[in-house]
């Protein structure tokens, strides 16, 4: 019998890649989908199986991190061997507009799920999607020993969730781990995060559909990796002999300006002719510089990134160019890896 996993945030960037990885490894995957008035399963539609299929490996359930009782009922029914908590209001800028909601879902939501696992009396392993945003203004390089100094409601909520996972591990012996992941991107990245906003705009500018691109702070520096590699790190953390917390990063940093230059150059365009400043995209308090030190996960779990910055930029721009071509020609839009 293969293992059973519950993936919250299954409709998001990481949830889609993680589901693919787990299904390839023979898991049965249960995904938590929140109710939406429009379709929100684009990223996993290619994994969808007919409910009549007897050998199904993917099951979707309506639930919400706001609804603790629903989570207990779901966990009792599924009895997962592993839980990956990827659900969050994950947009940092939006968290300044919705701080209480973000605290409720991104922070308290993790504790609701942990408590649901305890209430359901499961012998399960729990992965919490922690974030480099927790380091905030603490200078780089950042590793597992670096103090947190979050700079956004999102960062504060993630710190709460981080310590909630550590606390159930220490208090009750639950196998709970934190993956402290630095920014990771892909063609499936949400369209309003800066990398995807840029790669999408490059495709549209190249096609003559758009002239300019409005951005906020170009000086911020991020340690950008490739999402499919990062979900492998999540899985490895739950296969270890003992639960522990790990930083996942490339160890390289680039500014938003560098990303613009590289993305426009990839399409033979000059970024300076198109990128303009709009203060609406700045934040009341910013995280200036993130560089992860992933020595620990490399040493203990043997994980290391392969895709570098320039390759990542190329993957994203090429995918958005192809997607736009599909849209314009009326073809079915393919899901890109
Ligand atoms: P994402 O694409 O924004 O996906 C977030 C997921 O959470 C979506 O499936 C979303 O559902 C779901 N969700 C939102 N509110 C929910 C609620 N109330 N109840 C249940 N589900 C809810 O994020 P991602 O980039 O895949 O990141 C995955 C996780 O890692 C997040 O927790 C994020 O904060 C964290 N993280 C991400 C990065 C990164 O660079 N990507 C780095 C560090 C940590 P809908 O599809 O319906 O919106
Ligand atoms: O792409 P971003 O919105 O990602 P951010 O804030 O680093 O957060 C992402 O990574 C975190 C890990 O560190 C995750 F936990 C979190 O869930 C999310 O996935 O912004 C990156 C940088 C920021 O400094 C921002 O100020 O880009 C800057 N930026 C400049 N112009 C912009 C824009 N960001 C966005 N979203 N849109 C702009 O127009």
């Amino acid at each position: 019998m293969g293992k059973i996993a519950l993936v919250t945030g299954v409709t998001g960037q990481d949830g889609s890649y993680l589901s693919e990885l787990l299904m390839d490894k023979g898991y049965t995957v249960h995904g938590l989908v929140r109710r939406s008035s429009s379709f929100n399963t684009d990223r996993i539609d290619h994994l969808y199986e007919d409910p009549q299929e007897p050998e199904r490996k993917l099951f979707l359930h309506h639930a919400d991190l706001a609804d603790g009782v629903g989570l207990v009922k779901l966990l009792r029914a599924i009895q997962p061997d592993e839980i990956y908590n990827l659900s969050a209001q994950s947009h940092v800028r939006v968290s300044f507009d919705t701080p209480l909601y973000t605290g409720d879902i991104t922070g308290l939501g993790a504790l609701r799920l942990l408590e649901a696992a305890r209430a359901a009396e499961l012998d399960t392993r729990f992965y919490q999607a922690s974030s480099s945003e927790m380091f905030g203004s603490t200078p780089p390089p950042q590793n597992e020993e670096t103090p947190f100094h979050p700079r956004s409601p999102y960062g504060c909520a993630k710190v709460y969730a981080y310590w909630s996972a550590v606390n159930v591990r220490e208090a009750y012996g639950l196998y709970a781990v934190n993956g402290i992941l630095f920014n990771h991107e892909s063609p499936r990245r949400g369209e309003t995060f800066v990398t995807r906003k840029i790669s999408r705009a490059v495709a549209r500018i190249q096609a003559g559909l758009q002239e300019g691109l409005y951005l906020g702070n170009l000086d911020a520096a991020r340690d950008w990796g490739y999402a499919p590699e990062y979900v492998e790190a999540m899985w490895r953390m739950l296969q270890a002999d003992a639960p522990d917390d790990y930083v996942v990063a490339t160890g390289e940093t680039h500014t938003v300006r560098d990303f613009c230059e590289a993305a426009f150059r990839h399409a033979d365009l000059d970024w300076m002719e198109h990128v303009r400043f709009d203060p609406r995209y700045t934040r009341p308090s910013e995280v200036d510089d993130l560089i992860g030190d992933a020595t620990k996960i490399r040493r203990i779990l043997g994980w290391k990134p392969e895709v570098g910055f320039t390759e990542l930029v190329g993957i994203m721009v090429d995918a958005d160019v192809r997607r736009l071509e599909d849209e314009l020609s009326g073809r079915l839009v393919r899901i890109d890896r």
Side-chain angles (χ1 to χ4, degrees):
M1 281 286 283
K3 285 187 188 172
I4 299 171
L6 171 69
V7 178
T8 76
V10 72
T11 55
Q13 170 188 256
D14 291 4
S16 65
Y17 287 120
L18 180 65
S19 300
E20 280 171 11
L21 178 99
L22 295 174
M23 289 166 77
D24 281 351
K25 290 185 183 296
Y27 281 64
T28 299
V29 175
H30 292 265
L32 187 158
V33 178
R34 63 176 173 156
R35 154 74 188 150
S36 164
S37 66
S38 51
F39 290 124
N40 60 353
T41 55
D42 291 17
R43 293 186 180 100
I44 50 169
D45 280 348
H46 62 297
L47 301 175
Y48 178 79
E49 292 162 318
D50 194 307
Q52 311 308 324
E53 168 60 52
E55 301 296 315
R56 266 166 100 193
K57 287 286 178 196
L58 177 68
F59 296 82
L60 300 179
H61 308 267
H62 274 124
D64 199 299
L65 280 200
D67 177 6
V69 175
L71 296 175
V72 177
K73 286 195 285 190
L74 189 62
L75 288 177
R76 282 201 180 129
I78 296 171
Q79 302 270 315
D81 300 296
E82 297 172 8
I83 300 172
Y84 295 85
N85 181 33
L86 309 185
S87 277
Q89 191 302 93
S90 71
H91 203 285
V92 175
R93 176 67 192 83
V94 171
S95 78
F96 287 98
D97 300 329
T98 60
L100 298 180
Y101 174 76
T102 303
D104 188 26
I105 301 306
T106 306
L108 204 52
L111 183 58
R112 279 193 197 99
L113 191 58
L114 284 161
E115 283 300 303
R118 292 206 319 115
E121 298 181 343
L122 298 180
D123 180 15
T124 191
R125 295 185 169 202
F126 189 100
Y127 174 87
Q128 169 57 24
S130 286
S131 166
S132 50
E133 189 68 17
M134 301 188 304
F135 296 124
S137 59
T138 310
Q142 294 101 355
N143 66 21
E144 294 80 3
E145 307 304 321
T146 304
F148 299 143
H149 187 147
R151 298 270 289 165
S152 64
Y154 169 82
C156 295
K158 283 290 184 187
V159 171
Y160 181 84
Y162 170 95
W163 284 115
S164 298
V166 172
N167 184 242
V168 296
R169 184 167 78 213
E170 293 178 352
Y172 310 114
L174 195 84
Y175 189 115
V177 307
N178 285 286
I180 308 174
L181 272 54
F182 283 61
N183 298 52
H184 45 281
E185 319 293 313
S186 75
R188 298 188 200 167
R189 186 56 142 151
E191 289 86 346
T192 62
F193 295 96
V194 78
T195 55
R196 185 74 200 289
K197 185 170 166 183
I198 296 167
S199 63
R200 207 166 159 263
V202 166
R204 291 176 61 78
I205 290 169
Q206 196 187 42
L209 295 176
Q210 180 175 327
E211 210 273 308
L213 167 64
Y214 288 88
L215 295 175
N217 179 12
L218 299 185
D219 295 323
R222 291 289 181 275
D223 179 331
W224 277 300
Y226 184 44
E229 298 182 338
Y230 283 46
V231 300
E232 164 82 25
M234 296 175 187
W235 176 77
R236 287 195 191 194
M237 280 179 226
L238 288 197
Q239 314 313 309
D241 291 340
D244 206 347
D245 308 316
Y246 296 91
V247 157
V248 181
T250 69
E252 245 190 64
T253 195
H254 296 272
T255 61
V256 175
R257 183 179 291 100
D258 293 338
F259 198 103
C260 283
E261 275 179 13
F264 280 82
R265 194 183 328 117
H266 190 77
D268 291 326
L269 294 166
D270 179 355
W271 74 282
M272 299 239 272
E273 290 175 12
H274 301 280
V275 175
R276 285 150 213 167
F277 176 68
D278 185 332
R280 277 183 306 174
Y281 299 117
T282 60
R283 293 156 189 202
S285 47
E286 175 66 287
V287 171
D288 294 321
D289 206 357
L290 292 175
I291 312 175
D293 168 9
T295 308
K296 181 175 168 184
I297 192 166
R298 187 175 185 145
R299 182 170 48 81
I300 300 177
L301 302 181
W303 180 89
K304 65 179 172 53
E306 303 289 345
V307 173
F309 176 73
T310 310
E311 188 180 352
L312 171 66
V313 174
I315 290 171
M316 292 183 71
V317 171
D318 288 344
D320 270 318
V321 168
R322 276 197 304 276
R323 197 184 298 238
L324 187 62
E325 283 168 3
D326 284 353
E327 277 171 19
L328 294 175
S329 67
R331 279 197 296 270
L332 213 58
V333 176
R334 291 163 292 195
I335 180 95
D336 275 296
R337 287 194 80 83

